[in-house]
Amino acid sequence: MTKKQISLLIFISIFVTFNIKAQELKTIGEIHNAYKNKIINAEQLTLLYIKRIKELNPQYNAVISIEPTALKQARVLDNLAERGLWAGPLHGIPVLLKDNIETIGTLPTTAGSLALKNNVTNNDAFVVKKLRSAGAIILGKTNLSEWANFRSSFSSSGWSGIAGQTNNAHDITRSPWGSSSGSAVAIALNLAPVALGTETDGSITSPASVNGIYAIKPSMGQVSRSGSIPLSSSQDSIGPMTHSLNDALTVLSVIQGIDRLDPSTTNFKLKPAIIKNKQPLIIGVLPSDKFTVETQKVYAKQIQALKAAGHILVNIIITDNLDTLLADEYYILLYDFKNEINQYLKNTPKEVTVKSLSNLIDFNEKNKEIEMPHFGQNILIQSNAINLDEKRKYRQIKSRYRSVATKAITNLYSNKILDIVIAPTTSPAWKTDLINGDSTKNNSSSLPAIAGTTHITLPVGRVEHLPVGLSIIADINGEYAAYAYAQIIDKVLSKDIKKPE
């Protein structure tokens, strides 16, 4: 019998023995209990996730690549466990990364673009270093909306030149939304227990909502962005996507911290949650009229469930003038992207021939049959047209839009009565349309994205077979209270409202 045949028999034996139980393992706690009780080890679990990816990924297109060293990483951790040692809070937990987050090794970091197919930086992003130090296994890279959905106004979320269209985990004919689409779909399909996404405005929370998973968009300065492909340092964030809120909080606690390469983190301090020692919660309820009628009905049920649990619900509205907010945001993103992507591309390995935004636009045009078969690159062109010498204009607009968003959130909490604010995260996923692009933009992401506050989404409702999330929007510097209140709300609604399968 050949070595290959022996390996195949071993694999089949492992699969038969552990497959049923492994598919029941989703949370960090469940996996760690299985490890400690010798039900399965990290290598066996990682092998099963790889097999599951190979089985399901052709239909959903969530994962771009599998890390070649994943099983080796797992074996190292199993050897530690055999000696009675534990690597950290994520010991033996496989993690998928959005493919704009760099890793050591042979995998490129592409942002979904064929222009970066050779972008092997052999560098671990700050968050990846933190994951490894906590015992995580880097399992692979997930598909995304190319260039974090900042290429075309008519894009289809989840499409990239590298990997094509990612499909919603609950209905393959529907959009996965947001640029962190592959990460969200992968978690919903249990291709991994943890994934990281990135967000500039809605790219973590929206795909999490329409795929029925937990996710946190952290407050600005909690998590370093160094080692990730930028869109806008004014708003970019990296956050966890998981099967439970507790897991998301655990992963966030691992990846946060001070990084000298990201100035936004230099004032970071780990703070205890300041929780009012009282029940019930006083919850501010933002209106839902901009969402679909069926989403409004789900939201109304959630509100009633919270009332039935004894909490006080207070209807609130945003009274601030937000007329200029989104236009200002778009200018800032255009400016930041040109400035920061030029710098990033300039420092890519020599195998990457595209060294500037202008080069990228030319590359896409020369390769339009494979890079632009469905939509163009009007956003890249608009960004390239920005005059980076207009620094005074940039500073004025940035100051204005940040102030407007911050005041809007501060004013919601200004009476000091509310403990937390909720809203629908977004409406259900629409039909994927590669001809016309995405058909809806409604979400609750912009204020916390621009103000830099924490935004949590909980998978506690659905419209027919499609998930819709509930947003927890933190006050300025109110992230730790939001974590605690989100757990209380999740406990009520996860019992009262059936979650997506």
Side-chain angles (χ1 to χ4, degrees):
M1 185 176 289
T2 66
K3 289 183 178 179
K4 187 175 182 180
Q5 288 171 326
I6 293 171
S7 296
L8 180 60
L9 286 174
I10 292 171
F11 175 82
I12 292 171
S13 175
I14 291 170
F15 177 72
V16 171
T17 304
F18 296 109
N19 185 51
I20 295 175
K21 290 181 180 178
Q23 297 316 310
E24 297 171 355
L25 303 176
K26 290 186 176 182
T27 68
I28 295 170
E30 289 167 351
I31 292 170
H32 281 173
N33 284 336
Y35 287 166
K36 291 172 181 178
N37 291 315
K38 308 299 183 183
I39 295 171
I40 197 169
N41 64 28
E43 183 180 5
Q44 292 163 347
L45 183 65
T46 302
L47 193 60
L48 288 171
Y49 276 125
I50 291 171
K51 184 179 186 298
R52 188 167 173 82
I53 290 169
K54 289 179 178 179
E55 286 177 343
L56 296 180
N57 202 56
Q59 186 176 18
Y60 294 93
N61 213 22
V63 177
I64 286 179
S65 56
I66 295 172
E67 169 55 49
T69 68
L71 293 175
K72 181 180 178 181
Q73 295 173 57
R75 284 193 290 271
V76 170
L77 292 162
D78 285 337
N79 288 336
L80 276 177
E82 287 171 7
R83 302 200 308 269
L85 301 175
W86 205 248
L90 299 182
H91 177 98
I93 301 299
V95 178
L96 289 167
L97 306 171
K98 185 177 179 180
D99 196 23
N100 57 358
I101 300 173
E102 296 179 348
T103 53
I104 285 175
T106 60
L107 292 186
T109 303
T110 70
S113 172
L114 290 166
L116 294 185
K117 67 180 181 180
N118 296 319
N119 187 36
V120 180
T121 64
N122 200 28
N123 169 66
D124 269 347
F126 178 86
V127 292
V128 178
K129 293 175 184 176
K130 299 282 277 186
L131 289 170
R132 291 192 200 275
S133 67
I137 297 165
I138 304 305
L139 182 60
K141 299 289 194 77
T142 59
N143 198 18
L144 66 158
S145 306
E146 189 174 308
W147 294 111
N149 221 3
F150 205 65
R151 199 189 90 183
S152 170
S153 303
F154 307 99
S155 65
S156 173
S157 286
W159 188 93
S160 75
I162 285 283
Q165 180 66 51
T166 297
N167 298 318
N168 188 284
H170 296 260
D171 185 336
I172 61 172
T173 69
R174 292 183 180 268
S175 173
W177 206 6
S179 72
S180 301
S181 48
S183 294
V185 171
I187 296 302
L189 294 173
N190 195 25
L191 304 184
V194 173
L196 293 190
T198 70
E199 173 165 330
T200 306
D201 187 338
S203 287
I204 289 175
T205 52
S206 292
S209 176
V210 301
N211 285 285
I213 64 168
Y214 292 87
I216 301 175
K217 192 286 292 182
S219 57
M220 181 63 69
Q222 272 196 298
V223 179
S224 170
R225 292 80 52 90
S226 69
S228 63
I229 298 175
L231 194 167
S232 165
S233 60
S234 299
Q235 293 181 206
D236 286 350
S237 61
I238 300 176
M241 307 173 109
T242 60
H243 296 289
S244 75
L245 180 56
N246 186 63
D247 282 3
L249 292 169
T250 297
V251 176
L252 180 58
S253 71
V254 165
I255 63 175
Q256 64 188 1
I258 297 172
D259 176 16
R260 62 180 180 79
L261 296 178
D262 185 345
S264 76
T265 68
T266 56
N267 293 321
F268 171 78
K269 292 181 180 178
L270 186 62
K271 301 177 293 237
I274 302 173
I275 308 301
K276 298 176 184 178
N277 185 23
K278 70 180 184 67
Q279 286 283 354
L281 295 183
I282 303 177
I283 302 170
V285 178
L286 284 170
S288 60
D289 54 306
K290 68 179 180 179
F291 301 93
T292 65
V293 172
E294 293 303 316
T295 304
Q296 293 176 43
K297 291 179 181 177
V298 169
Y299 189 48
K301 290 179 181 178
Q302 292 167 339
I303 292 168
Q304 289 305 314
L306 290 167
K307 286 181 179 178
H311 300 293
I312 299 170
L313 283 293
V314 179
N315 291 325
I316 57 173
I317 59 172
I318 296 169
T319 57
D320 299 75
N321 185 346
L322 305 181
D323 289 349
T324 65
L325 186 65
L326 296 184
D328 285 350
E329 178 190 34
Y330 191 52
Y331 176 83
I332 295 301
L333 300 189
L334 291 173
Y335 188 104
D336 282 351
F337 185 76
K338 180 179 181 179
N339 185 35
E340 294 167 24
I341 207 62
N342 275 335
Q343 186 66 26
Y344 182 86
L345 292 173
K346 179 182 176 181
N347 292 292
T348 52
K350 59 180 174 46
E351 290 80 8
V352 177
T353 59
V354 170
K355 297 297 183 182
S356 69
L357 181 53
S358 294
N359 289 167
L360 173 60
I361 292 169
D362 291 342
F363 175 91
N364 289 342
E365 187 59 37
K366 290 175 183 176
N367 297 276
K368 60 184 177 183
E369 289 186 2
I370 52 175
E371 262 295 347
M372 300 193 294
H374 306 297
F375 51 88
Q377 56 179 340
N378 69 297
I379 293 177
L380 298 186
I381 293 170
Q382 290 173 27
S383 178
N384 202 39
I386 289 287
N387 184 356
L388 296 180
D389 291 330
E390 294 182 335
K391 292 180 173 61
R392 182 178 179 184
K393 175 183 177 182
Y394 171 80
R395 288 193 296 267
Q396 288 176 337
I397 292 177
K398 187 171 181 177
S399 175
R400 179 174 67 201
Y401 99 130
R402 183 65 52 74
S403 176
V404 167
T406 300
K407 286 181 180 178
I409 290 179
T410 300
N411 286 340
L412 292 177
Y413 285 92
S414 62
N415 58 18
K416 308 299 182 185
I417 295 175
L418 298 181
D419 294 310
I420 199 66
V421 168
I422 64 171
T425 305
T426 188
S427 296
W430 57 90
K431 291 281 187 180
T432 298
D433 187 345
L434 290 170
I435 296 174
N436 300 304
D438 294 340
S439 62
T440 182
K441 301 290 185 183
N442 60 50
N443 59 58
S444 295
S445 64
S446 291
L447 279 182
I450 296 170
T453 62
T454 290
H455 182 184
I456 303 169
T457 185
L458 311 175
V460 288
R462 63 179 179 177
V463 174
E464 297 183 1
H465 65 294
L466 299 173
V468 287
L470 181 73
S471 281
I472 309 294
I473 300 173
D475 195 2
I476 308 299
N477 299 318
E479 55 265 26
Y480 291 97
Y483 303 154
Y485 296 145
Q487 290 177 79
I488 294 170
I489 292 170
D490 181 58
K491 187 175 181 179
V492 171
L493 297 183
S494 62
K495 289 181 179 178
D496 193 84
I497 297 175
K498 185 179 179 182
K499 294 182 183 180
E501 299 295 336

